[in-house]
Amino acid sequence: MTSTVPALGTRTAEGSALQAVLLDMDGTLVDTEGFWWDVEAEVFAGLGHTLDETWRHIVVGGPMARSAGFLIEATGADITLAELTTLLNDGFEDRIGRALPLMPGAARLLAELYEYEIPTALVSASHRRIIDRVLDSLGPQHFALTVAGDEVSRTKPYPDPYLLAAAGLGADPARCAVVEDTATGVEAAEAAGCRVVAVPSVAPIAPSARRTVVTSLEEVDLAFLRGLMTEMR
């Protein structure tokens, strides 16, 4: 876990139960889920294998070790997990170096959270080297801390990254709003006890008791997130 800026203040509207906002990265703030799949397809093509499009839903949103391990097993490619991880990270870094589109509503939401001094963390299954590159576009000032997938012993779908982020912000997980785009990330956030907003990017996500599903970040603002906490009372 790395703190990217001095801890933000905790000024919130009177009576608000929202203590922090924890945001996923790929597919949630930046439109990169397709980048990962394209890089995976290119790397395996170079190894003489064609990826099945149906595998995309299996590997999306998961930790690198799980996704890469699945693809090695599914294709029978002659490559180690460590070698493949390096190739995938290199390919992805090259992609985002050329273009890094933000998801609709992402810049506005980050600016609003920053303006009202809402403690905010970036929580991703991507490795630190990737997060640091993406932060250049998102603006490191928007996050009090960031948690990378290669900095926790168990990343998503385990709750550890979200529990670590909540603790780092001094927040009760039950009073944290998480924004995620995949079932894997939603599972991690709910296991941590957080209230979740799902914005599906690749595969559909069904609503549930502690989960609100929206079609775009353009539907999410600070009032919306505070309202989720009010509904829990």
Side-chain angles (χ1 to χ4, degrees):
M1 179 177 67
T2 299
S3 177
T4 56
V5 295
L8 297 176
T10 57
R11 177 169 57 87
T12 57
E14 185 177 354
S16 172
L18 178 66
Q19 293 182 352
V21 176
L22 315 178
L23 301 167
D24 174 54
M25 187 177 76
D26 293 301
T28 299
L29 294 177
V30 289
D31 192 7
T32 51
E33 291 292 12
F35 284 17
W36 281 114
W37 178 252
D38 290 345
V39 169
E40 289 160 349
E42 289 176 4
V43 168
F44 277 90
L47 297 171
H49 299 275
T50 300
L51 300 187
D52 190 319
E53 185 68 26
T54 62
W55 296 343
R56 184 171 181 171
H57 291 176
I58 299 174
V59 301
V60 68
M64 176 74 74
R66 189 194 74 180
S67 299
F70 168 83
L71 293 174
I72 290 173
E73 183 176 352
T75 61
D78 184 18
I79 189 171
T80 67
L81 181 60
E83 291 170 337
L84 179 57
T85 296
T86 298
L87 289 177
L88 293 178
N89 277 325
D90 287 347
F92 186 79
E93 227 176 327
D94 177 66
R95 286 291 180 110
I96 63 176
R98 287 180 270 155
L100 185 59
L102 269 60
M103 298 297 287
R108 187 264 313 149
L109 177 60
L110 288 175
E112 183 179 20
L113 294 175
Y114 183 73
E115 178 184 358
Y116 286 91
E117 300 180 5
I118 305 301
T120 302
L122 186 67
V123 184
S124 177
S126 289
H127 289 187
R128 170 56 54 190
R129 60 179 284 195
I130 300 300
I131 288 180
D132 287 344
R133 286 293 302 276
V134 174
L135 279 173
D136 290 339
S137 295
L138 291 177
Q141 73 276 10
H142 291 121
F143 305 98
L145 61 85
T146 61
V147 178
D150 57 341
E151 295 174 341
V152 290
S153 58
R154 301 189 308 173
T155 189
K156 305 172 187 179
Y158 293 100
D160 305 35
Y162 282 114
L163 291 173
L164 186 62
L169 295 176
D172 177 356
R175 297 302 178 185
C176 293
V178 169
V179 185
E180 273 280 359
D181 73 303
T182 67
T184 299
V186 167
E187 181 181 347
E190 290 182 340
C194 304
R195 187 62 186 261
V196 181
V197 178
V199 192
S201 63
V202 175
I205 299 173
S208 70
R210 294 186 62 85
R211 180 191 318 161
T212 300
V213 180
V214 299
T215 59
S216 168
L217 275 186
E218 293 182 316
E219 301 175 46
V220 181
D221 58 15
L222 182 52
F224 179 92
L225 296 174
R226 282 175 170 156
L228 297 178
M229 299 296 119
T230 302
E231 292 171 8
M232 293 173 56
R233 292 179 178 178

